[in-house]
Amino acid sequence: MTVTINVPVAEPEMTAPKGDAGSADTLADTLYAVAGRYEEVGDTAETLRPMSGVWWGDAYQAYQDAAGRVSTEHSAMGTTVKRVAHAVTAYADNLRDLKRAYWELKDRRTALDATRQTLINDIDSAVDLTQAQVTALETRASDLAKSYRELVTDHDAWARRVQDNEDLLRLTFEAATSLSDALSKDGGVNDTARDAMTKPGAPGTGATPEQTKSWWDSLSPAEQEAVISAYPGLVGSADGLPADVRDQANRVSLDGDLSRLGAKEDDGTLTPAERKMLDNAKATRDALKTADGYVLPGTEPPERPGGQLWLYDPGAYEGDGRVAVAVGDLDTADDVSVHIPGIKTEMTDVGDYTENAANLYESARYNGDGSTVATMFWLGYNTPEDALDVDTVSRDRAEDGGRRLAEAVDGMRASRSGDPAHMTAIGHSYGSTTTSYAAVDHGLKVDDVVLIGSPGAGPSDDASDFSVGRDHVYVGRNSRDAVAFFGDEGWLHNPGGLGVDPSSRDFGGTRFEAESVERGDNRNFDDHSRYFDPDSESLYNLGRIVDGHGDDVNEAEQSYDPWWRWAEDNEGEREPTSDVPGRSDTGQ
């Protein structure tokens, strides 16, 4: 039987993108250093401007005018150069992604070419084919043609991204080629980015998270890349935008701060405020290395969930900073947790908390039902400075933090409209009081709330007041945790003033086992920091809740108030467990 099988043509032709990301990074570093010099001159001119008492008259007025111009112009030039540097950083990051995508496309083409050659060999060697055999060969050829067409489509989209990346950098340079352009309000901002930011819903316009999400979805890929590079600070903190977008923008800002402030550190011109910002940036860089490099133990091939920088604001709260780092993909994970810290937490602590996020990720996955997970540390409010700080025994910062937490979760929900995750808020220490305000006063839109090491549940005396309902409020308390002792439990016990002890019978939440094998003989502050320890009772139960199975936690007896003396906690008499399947085994 003579037949003709139409074997598809091998396509498309593929060429690796030109350019070197490392060289672009070097250029960006140079530009950031230049921007820092301009800022320095501008700040110095402004500092030296009020020279009253040195001389008077027309000469003094001329001096003041000149110093004012120097300050204004150098500050404007510094801003412009920094914008251009941001664009170069974004170009380098995009180029790395595009080169990785190229090799993925190349591998697909190689695989399809091998399949094509096998098909040709089978056709050439075939004799006396039956109709069924002919049909099988035609089906293979048809499927191969479809795969080639899909590859062509994906390659065309990739090629457009390559061109857009080149065009974006070119347009940014062109936006600052003259002195007047460089000194203008939008110096270094290309037309594509500027026009996109004038559309309804853009960040910084007072839009709701839902409106900001709609704005983002309405932009073309080129417009999206343009606003990330031109306005990384705005985009990186915009509620409603996908976590991946915020991550890209915040990494641009982080790279810029490390380069610009690092150059000032090298030449000894850092101010005290800039020193704090640089320390915060370095801590964030190191935390991201931990998150990006994390591998789930026992997986083959290695499972690398990756990290995301959801919030980055190193200058907030007089240098204490705001930051949020996640392990896993906040945009796609089935189960998402947000950990809210307590007193004395600052941005420089982000490394330890990222380790905790990795521990929680492992626990949720190891004992989980196979769902995908993302665990985030969120420092988005101004925590009290010290255990004896007046802010620690008051509720002002918890109230403000609760509002900010609720807004952050609203933003995360809006970014995933139509694809909601199961979300858990885990408040630790003063962060549990903050979380309580979010859940009681601001309708925190999570599925489960966990309070661990809590000094008090803030505005609520009963778990039924929480937005999630009584059955979804969980409490972990190590019986030796000195901070948890400050919760109110009866008329004789109210030293903290932060609300009722949520581990008590009166509160009515679900208490789970959270004792540590390393616990002290008496109440102490070390046990306050053991809730995320590997192979601990607390971490096991936290993992079950994050995975959506809070009904499977190992419940603990609630503390109670005998009214005539201090509260009783029978957990203190129980022998803690570690590395016990179903109780405290949290990893491989």
Side-chain angles (χ1 to χ4, degrees):
M1 181 177 182
T2 302
V3 295
T4 301
I5 306 295
N6 293 318
V7 178
V9 174
E11 57 182 350
E13 293 297 325
M14 302 178 65
T15 304
K18 297 178 181 179
D20 179 69
S23 296
D25 283 334
T26 300
L27 173 59
D29 288 343
T30 301
L31 291 172
Y32 284 123
V34 170
R37 301 297 178 270
Y38 276 117
E39 290 173 354
E40 243 177 86
V41 173
D43 292 343
T44 301
E46 184 60 30
T47 300
L48 296 177
R49 190 179 179 197
M51 297 283 285
S52 56
V54 178
W55 71 84
W56 300 264
D58 292 343
Y60 175 60
Q61 187 60 52
Y63 163 78
Q64 278 215 313
D65 292 344
R69 285 195 303 274
V70 168
S71 175
T72 300
E73 291 178 357
H74 279 75
S75 295
M77 184 67 77
T79 299
T80 294
V81 174
K82 187 162 63 174
R83 285 172 178 155
V84 175
H86 280 329
V88 176
T89 296
Y91 168 84
D93 291 344
N94 288 336
L95 184 57
R96 289 188 183 90
D97 291 340
L98 290 167
K99 288 195 172 185
R100 282 193 292 268
Y102 166 79
W103 287 111
E104 290 172 1
L105 292 170
K106 189 76 171 175
D107 289 344
R108 285 172 60 187
R109 166 70 192 268
T110 299
L112 290 178
D113 289 349
T115 300
R116 179 177 183 272
Q117 188 58 54
T118 299
L119 176 60
I120 292 173
N121 294 341
D122 290 348
I123 292 172
D124 290 344
S125 62
V127 292
D128 297 329
L129 297 176
T130 65
Q131 183 57 51
Q133 290 172 320
V134 172
T135 300
L137 289 171
E138 290 175 336
T139 299
R140 287 168 60 187
S142 177
D143 290 344
L144 182 60
K146 179 182 177 182
S147 295
Y148 272 123
R149 288 195 300 271
E150 291 173 349
L151 179 60
V152 168
T153 299
D154 291 345
H155 177 267
D156 288 346
W158 170 84
R160 286 192 295 272
R161 288 179 57 205
V162 172
Q163 189 61 54
D164 288 343
N165 197 37
E166 296 286 345
D167 290 344
L168 174 59
L169 190 58
R170 174 179 57 81
L171 292 171
T172 300
F173 283 131
E174 290 176 354
T177 52
S178 69
L179 181 59
S180 60
D181 286 341
L183 296 179
S184 69
K185 177 180 172 233
D186 292 324
V189 177
N190 62 74
D191 292 340
T192 303
R194 186 167 51 247
D195 292 346
M197 294 297 284
T198 64
K199 297 180 179 180
T205 62
T208 65
E210 291 77 13
Q211 290 169 334
T212 299
K213 176 63 163 57
S214 296
W215 165 80
W216 179 260
D217 291 343
S218 73
L219 301 182
S220 69
E223 289 174 319
Q224 292 175 346
E225 293 296 342
V227 296
I228 287 174
S229 66
Y231 303 98
L234 273 175
V235 173
S237 60
D239 288 335
L241 294 187
D244 177 63
V245 174
R246 293 180 62 147
D247 175 62
Q248 291 179 53
N250 286 326
R251 287 180 190 248
V252 170
S253 296
L254 172 62
D255 288 345
D257 287 343
L258 289 169
S259 295
R260 180 175 58 87
L261 299 175
K264 288 189 173 184
E265 180 183 42
D266 291 342
D267 61 21
T269 59
L270 270 182
T271 66
E274 289 173 334
R275 162 58 62 191
K276 285 187 175 183
M277 288 183 63
L278 181 57
D279 289 344
N280 289 339
K282 289 179 177 179
T284 303
R285 175 198 60 197
D286 295 343
L288 276 176
K289 287 181 180 178
T290 296
D292 290 340
Y294 173 75
V295 176
L296 183 63
T299 54
E300 190 60 45
E303 179 180 323
R304 299 177 183 272
Q308 288 181 324
L309 182 55
W310 194 81
L311 179 64
Y312 173 75
D313 186 1
Y317 305 131
E318 298 181 343
D320 288 350
R322 300 190 306 151
V323 67
V325 174
V327 174
D329 190 343
L330 295 167
D331 289 326
T332 62
D334 301 315
D335 301 307
V336 172
S337 70
V338 181
H339 171 202
I340 303 92
I343 61 171
K344 298 197 293 185
T345 307
E346 298 180 357
M347 195 167 175
T348 48
D349 298 316
V350 64
D352 290 339
Y353 284 102
T354 300
E355 293 280 1
N356 287 345
N359 290 344
L360 181 56
Y361 181 95
E362 182 175 349
S363 176
R365 291 282 286 112
Y366 179 59
N367 293 297
D369 56 14
S371 58
T372 53
V373 174
T375 54
M376 182 170 77
F377 161 66
W378 178 85
L379 177 61
Y381 77 111
N382 194 10
T383 63
E385 304 295 331
D386 193 82
L388 300 179
D389 193 328
V390 66
D391 291 311
T392 304
V393 294
S394 70
R395 306 186 184 192
D396 292 348
R397 294 198 180 184
E399 291 175 358
D400 177 66
R403 175 183 60 80
R404 293 176 183 274
L405 173 60
E407 290 174 351
V409 170
D410 284 347
M412 296 175 72
R413 288 295 195 193
S415 72
R416 291 189 55 170
S417 57
D419 179 30
H422 165 260
M423 289 191 67
T424 304
I426 304 172
H428 175 235
S429 189
Y430 191 88
S432 70
T433 312
T434 298
T435 303
S436 297
Y437 274 101
V440 175
D441 290 351
H442 301 286
L444 182 64
K445 294 177 183 176
V446 296
D447 299 285
D448 295 299
V449 168
V450 185
L451 310 178
I452 51 178
S454 177
S460 174
D461 293 331
D462 194 293
S464 63
D465 296 334
F466 280 51
S467 56
V468 295
R470 180 193 296 272
D471 292 342
H472 292 273
V473 178
Y474 300 91
V475 183
R477 174 186 175 182
N478 184 315
S479 63
R480 305 296 200 272
D481 182 351
V483 173
F485 177 69
F486 286 103
D488 180 15
E489 226 177 340
W491 69 274
L492 189 60
H493 183 211
N494 186 20
L498 293 178
V500 67
D501 177 359
S503 74
S504 66
R505 291 176 184 173
D506 291 341
F507 183 72
T510 299
R511 185 182 182 187
F512 56 81
E513 294 179 345
E515 298 299 305
S516 169
V517 294
E518 299 179 17
R519 71 185 184 187
D521 294 330
N522 300 298
R523 292 188 180 95
N524 63 87
F525 290 101
D526 290 339
D527 278 303
H528 187 58
S529 303
R530 291 182 169 136
Y531 292 97
F532 291 90
D533 283 1
D535 292 330
S536 65
E537 296 176 350
S538 175
L539 187 63
Y540 172 85
N541 288 308
L542 289 173
R544 299 303 293 136
I545 298 167
V546 170
D547 193 53
H549 296 282
D551 52 345
D552 289 342
V553 298
N554 297 310
E555 293 192 32
E557 184 178 347
Q558 294 162 327
S559 60
Y560 64 95
D561 172 34
W563 78 262
W564 67 86
R565 57 184 172 82
W566 301 112
E568 290 283 350
D569 186 0
N570 289 332
E571 278 291 276
E573 305 303 318
R574 184 177 60 79
E575 192 68 24
T577 64
S578 180
D579 198 22
V580 176
R583 290 285 296 281
S584 52
D585 187 4
T586 60
Q588 301 186 48

